[in-house]
Amino acid sequence: MRLQLLFLAFPVIHAAAIRWMPLGDSITDYGCWRAWLWERFQNEGYDVDLVGGERAGENCRGLDFDRDHEGHPGYMAVDIVAKKQLVDWLKKNPADVVTMHLGTNDIFRGNKKTGEILEAYTTLVDVMRGSNPGMRIIVAQIIPLPAVDRQVQELNRAIPAWAESKNSSASPIWLVDQWTGFTSADLKDGIHPSESGDAKMAERFWPALVRAIGTIQGR
Ligand SMILES: *[C@@H]1O[C@H](CO)[C@@H](O)[C@H](O)[C@H]1NC(C)=O
């Protein structure tokens, strides 16, 4: 009986909710782009559970959305690696899919070089795969940061080759360009997305999330 139940718990088609961890800094914590994605998952019939140890507090048109995430204001990718924080976050809240929008603070606060940030990304991907060998990983080319955008663009230009070198069929990495076409009107304070910026971020993450979910569900 027990064995049979165990067997039934692992059907070929993944029937459980897909666990999505939004990972990042304040650009992931603040605003409503996660809320808009959650709403679209509901509207289009996807069973997605947002996971993470943080709870967003913002009001997004009164939507009662799933507020769990791992967006940490001010955090740098290099620090998350140095402090081994992602290991713990994923232990507490395992995920099937991670979206990562990180590097803004490395550049803005830490003046980190592209190579140092990519090295941190590499470790973060290794940690994700250590937690789940089949992790679907969605990496953002980050939104503009007008004060230091030359460095942002340099990082964004380096991300595709880095991602390709870290790619694997068991744990694919997909890129989402959050920079191109993101204007100053899409920022509310020179750093964080405005309403239109939130809408753009959600729209751009959407196809990558749908694709990632499709590969988990065998579609
Ligand atoms: C990684 O591989 C997948 C196929 O498994 C592909 O769809 C994706 O574009 C690749 N990512 C990169 C960054 O090359």
Side-chain angles (χ1 to χ4, degrees):
M1 201 57 206
R2 236 207 141 81
L3 271 174
Q4 201 171 354
L5 280 174
L6 270 173
F7 180 75
L8 286 173
F10 296 97
V12 177
I13 301 295
H14 189 106
I18 301 287
R19 300 163 302 181
W20 163 38
M21 175 182 284
L23 170 66
D25 47 36
S26 57
I27 292 165
T28 293
D29 183 10
Y30 306 164
C32 290
W33 63 265
R34 286 174 291 100
W36 305 150
L37 284 164
W38 179 87
E39 185 179 41
R40 192 158 175 191
F41 284 131
Q42 308 312 301
N43 292 343
E44 303 202 14
Y46 287 91
D47 188 9
V48 175
D49 179 16
L50 277 75
V51 297
E54 302 294 302
R55 303 278 173 282
E58 63 277 281
N59 185 344
C60 299
R61 281 194 234 119
L63 201 64
D64 186 19
F65 67 103
D66 185 342
R67 295 173 177 275
D68 301 342
H69 67 91
E70 289 290 356
H72 298 263
Y75 278 35
M76 300 194 273
V78 296
D79 276 346
I80 295 172
V81 165
K83 297 176 183 163
K84 299 184 164 42
Q85 289 167 311
L86 184 61
V87 178
D88 198 41
W89 296 340
L90 281 169
K91 201 173 286 170
K92 287 185 180 134
N93 294 291
D96 304 299
V97 182
V98 177
T99 51
M100 179 171 89
H101 188 293
L102 268 177
T104 306
N105 287 295
D106 297 80
I107 292 170
F108 192 59
R109 298 201 307 115
N111 198 26
K112 298 297 175 197
K113 301 280 167 277
T114 292
E116 295 173 275
I117 300 169
L118 294 180
E119 212 172 289
Y121 283 6
T122 293
T123 305
L124 293 173
V125 164
D126 292 342
V127 168
M128 292 174 204
R129 289 173 176 163
S131 160
N132 173 1
M135 191 77 85
R136 272 52 172 181
I137 303 167
I138 298 169
V139 175
Q141 288 168 290
I142 62 177
I143 63 172
L145 187 60
V148 286
D149 206 49
R150 194 187 54 75
Q151 285 158 272
V152 166
Q153 289 178 49
E154 185 188 303
L155 172 64
N156 283 341
R157 270 197 303 274
I159 286 176
W162 166 83
E164 217 174 302
S165 76
K166 283 297 287 180
N167 208 5
S168 91
S169 52
S171 166
I173 300 176
W174 292 288
L175 294 185
V176 170
D177 180 3
Q178 293 286 10
W179 188 91
T180 303
F182 206 95
T183 70
S184 54
D186 297 321
L187 294 169
K188 65 179 172 200
D189 54 8
I191 300 175
H192 303 98
S194 62
E195 248 182 78
S196 62
D198 275 338
K200 273 188 190 168
M201 284 191 73
E203 202 172 294
R204 288 169 187 195
F205 271 135
W206 175 259
L209 281 162
V210 164
R211 183 168 192 180
I213 292 164
T215 66
I216 294 168
Q217 294 177 328
R219 283 194 270 114

